């Protein structure tokens, strides 16, 4: 028997208070907590606490979609909030990592590329949604998300992690640049798809 089929019906309820949506709400609530904790970047235990909260938030990013599909609990609010929660989390952490000094110098460009791509893709998805066109997530986009996920984790723990794993911050920087490179590729891919639909829409307009 599949493990998700033996849980109480109360947990499998639908609507705005379904379990997948609660996980998404939790990920959004984790953002101000992470921002507050990273205001004390020199305290090692605060860094580890931030990593713990970030890890839980990252896990919910996988679980909310998995549970929604497994229990047929997809909802409009979930489809809207899930990508918003992801982008808010990434943007907030990138800004705080600039504040704490883990992202500085040339690495700022990697953060700028990632943030600009998120804005570009959000705008394109909003435009294409009006045309009833969906853009599927590519395999490269999933690689980008994975690299970005791990990069932020290494950088969040930062110097505290360097004491346990020498080169921890360097690993995070390398992964962030890898994510930025994949971001450029996927951003261009999304942009091309958007332009094709935009041209096609203009040609259909009398």
């Amino acid at each position: 028997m599949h493990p998700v089929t033996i849980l109480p019906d109360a947990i499998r309820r639908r609507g705005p208070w379904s379990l997948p949506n609660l996980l998404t709400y939790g990920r959004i609530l984790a953002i101000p907590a992470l921002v507050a904790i990273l205001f004390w970047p020199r305290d090692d235990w605060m860094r580890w606490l931030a990593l713990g909260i970030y890890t839980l938030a990252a896990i919910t990013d996988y679980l909310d979609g998995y549970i929604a599909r497994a229990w047929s609990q997809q909802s409009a609010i979930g489809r809207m909030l899930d990508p918003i929660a992801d982008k808010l989390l990434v943007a907030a952490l990138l800004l705080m990592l600039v504040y704490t000094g883990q992202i500085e110098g040339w690495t700022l460009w990697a953060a700028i590329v990632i943030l600009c791509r998120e804005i570009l893709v959000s705008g394109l998805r909003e435009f294409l949604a009006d045309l009833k066109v969906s853009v599927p997530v590519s395999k490269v986009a999933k690689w980008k998300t994975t690299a970005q996920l791990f990069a932020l984790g290494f950088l969040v723990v930062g110097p505290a992690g360097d004491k346990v794993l020498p080169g921890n911050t360097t690993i995070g920087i390398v992964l962030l640049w890898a994510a930025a490179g994949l971001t450029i590729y996927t951003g261009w891919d999304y942009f091309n798809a958007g332009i094709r639909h935009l041209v096609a829409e203009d040609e259909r307009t009398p």
Side-chain angles (χ1 to χ4, degrees):
M1 180 180 294
H2 199 285
V4 299
T5 63
I6 63 176
L7 292 176
D9 289 340
I11 299 178
R12 300 178 61 183
R13 61 189 173 189
R14 300 187 181 188
W17 302 111
S18 65
L19 182 55
N21 287 339
L22 290 176
L23 291 173
T24 302
Y25 303 153
R27 189 156 74 257
I28 294 173
L29 291 175
I31 297 168
L34 284 168
V35 170
I37 291 169
L38 289 174
F39 268 109
W40 289 272
R42 293 180 179 82
D43 294 338
D44 286 358
W45 73 273
M46 295 292 268
R47 288 286 194 155
W48 288 108
L49 177 60
L51 178 63
I53 294 174
Y54 172 72
T55 301
L56 289 175
I59 292 172
T60 67
D61 188 21
Y62 166 76
L63 283 180
D64 57 6
Y66 172 78
I67 294 174
R69 291 188 297 272
W71 295 354
S72 299
Q73 288 185 317
Q74 295 96 332
S75 65
I77 191 170
R79 287 192 296 271
M80 178 191 73
L81 284 181
D82 184 60
I84 291 175
D86 297 342
K87 289 171 174 54
L88 289 176
L89 180 63
V90 169
L93 282 179
L94 287 174
L95 291 173
M96 290 308 299
L97 289 169
V98 172
Y99 166 77
T100 61
Q102 270 57 68
I103 296 178
E104 59 182 356
W106 287 101
T107 308
L108 284 170
W109 285 103
I112 290 170
V113 165
I114 291 172
L115 284 175
C116 288
R117 183 264 188 190
E118 298 297 349
I119 295 171
L120 171 67
V121 171
S122 295
L124 283 174
R125 285 190 181 279
E126 183 178 350
F127 165 73
L128 294 176
D130 291 338
L131 301 180
K132 303 297 187 293
V133 174
S134 63
V135 180
V137 178
S138 67
K139 185 178 293 187
V140 178
K142 292 179 181 178
W143 295 344
K144 186 274 298 183
T145 301
T146 301
Q148 185 174 278
L149 183 76
F150 280 97
L152 292 176
F154 281 108
L155 293 174
V156 161
V157 73
D162 287 326
K163 297 175 182 178
V164 177
L165 175 66
N168 168 82
T169 300
T170 301
I171 294 171
I173 294 297
V174 170
L175 287 173
L176 191 69
W177 276 108
L182 294 173
T183 288
I184 293 173
Y185 178 86
T186 57
W188 178 252
D189 202 29
Y190 280 123
F191 182 73
N192 273 337
I195 290 298
R196 286 197 299 271
H197 288 294
L198 178 61
V199 171
E201 178 68 12
D202 285 341
E203 289 176 349
R204 286 194 295 267
T205 304

